[in-house]
């Protein structure tokens, strides 16, 4: 069995995220996670929200680690990763009623974030929920100096990365029949934005 990858950060933020998902996914059944990363979030959320069938996904390079977490958990409602790169994905329409993604929009290029919103809209049925966790800019401003510094470090690493404006994400939502209804403030200067399909 592969050593399971571990993120201290994912461990810390999973409790507060779970509190929001309990509410937002209370009537959902099938959830697709985009960019599952280590797989830790998926195990925590699938075990605490047993009414959900949780589908992990990511680019192939992360599959071994996610699979290790999924297999060790032995959860019946947690599925091994789909190969899903938003830039190339061909997603079956209206196959999920909820989508979750954490810390992806600032890692993906603008082109990839744009594709992610298109994929979310295709994958969700009407009334489906999309929860996106991470740092966002609002009104052209960073909410803290630490997020401004984080943005600079991302752009130095790769000019295509960077913290996204919530208004830009909302425009992508509007283009794809997704309306943002809520924005939860989260610990460590992050947020969860919630869009609903078909509410535009
Ligand atoms: C910072 S990690 C976050 C991982 C995990 N969601 C978490 O919060 O711990 C960013 C994730 O985005 C994924 N990612 C980046 N570009 C992607 C793309 N084009 N399509 C799908 N996933 C992508 C990476 O593979 C990685 O799993």
């Amino acid at each position: 069995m592969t050593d399971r990858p571990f993120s201290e950060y994912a461990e810390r933020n999973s409790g507060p995220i779970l509190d929001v998902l309990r509410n937002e996914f209370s009537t959902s059944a099938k959830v697709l996670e985009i960019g599952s990363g280590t797989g830790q979030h998926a195990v925590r959320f699938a075990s605490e929200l047993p009414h959900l069938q949780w589908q992990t996904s990511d680019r192939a390079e992360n599959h071994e680690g996610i699979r290790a977490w999924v297999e060790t958990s032995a959860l019946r409602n947690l599925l091994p990763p789909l190969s899903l790169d938003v830039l190339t994905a061909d997603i079956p329409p209206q196959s999920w009623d909820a989508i979750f993604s954490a810390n992806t929009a600032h890692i993906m290029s603008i082109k990839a974030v744009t594709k992610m919103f298109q994929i979310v809209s295709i994958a969700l049925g009407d009334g489906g929920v999309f929860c996106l966790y991470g740092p966002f800019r609002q009104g052209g401003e960073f909410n803290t100096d630490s997020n401004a510094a984080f943005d600079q470090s991302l752009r130095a690493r790769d000019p295509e990365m960077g913290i996204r404006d919530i208004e830009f994400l909302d425009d992508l939502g509007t283009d794809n029949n997704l309306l943002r209804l809520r924005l939860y403030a989260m610990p460590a200067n992050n947020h969860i934005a919630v869009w609903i399909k078909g509410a535009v």
Side-chain angles (χ1 to χ4, degrees), residues 77-200:
N77 63 330
L78 179 60
L79 301 175
L82 290 180
S83 223
L84 197 158
D85 183 322
V86 295
L87 285 168
T88 53
D90 191 10
I91 204 95
Q94 307 201 353
S95 303
W96 286 278
D97 46 25
I99 297 183
F100 171 73
S101 193
N103 292 313
T104 46
H106 59 277
I107 299 295
M108 293 176 180
S109 63
I110 293 278
K111 186 174 170 202
V113 177
T114 304
K115 282 287 291 182
M116 176 161 70
F117 272 77
Q118 290 168 2
I119 283 167
V120 165
S121 183
I122 292 168
L124 287 176
D126 256 5
V129 190
F130 174 38
C131 289
L132 180 65
Y133 170 87
F136 303 118
R137 265 174 23 143
Q138 271 184 283
E141 304 280 346
F142 293 102
N143 54 359
T144 56
D145 290 346
S146 62
N147 269 348
F150 179 46
D151 179 71
Q152 275 197 345
S153 71
L154 286 168
R155 289 174 196 275
R157 196 167 118 204
D158 180 342
E160 301 238 59
M161 294 182 181
I163 294 180
R164 308 298 170 206
D165 289 307
I166 191 71
E167 296 84 0
F168 166 68
L169 301 177
D170 283 341
D171 286 346
L172 293 180
T174 305
D175 291 346
N176 290 285
N177 197 18
L178 296 159
L179 178 67
R180 180 165 61 77
L181 293 188
R182 288 174 281 285
L183 186 66
Y184 294 85
M186 303 296 287
N189 312 309
N190 288 303
H191 285 86
I192 293 180
V194 182
W195 289 268
I196 306 292
K197 164 100 180 271
V200 177

Side-chain angles (χ1 to χ4, degrees), residues 58-73:
D58 209 320
R59 298 186 294 190
E61 68 216 43
N62 288 330
H63 283 200
E64 204 179 334
I66 298 168
R67 222 180 284 270
W69 276 90
V70 170
E71 284 170 12
T72 308
S73 78

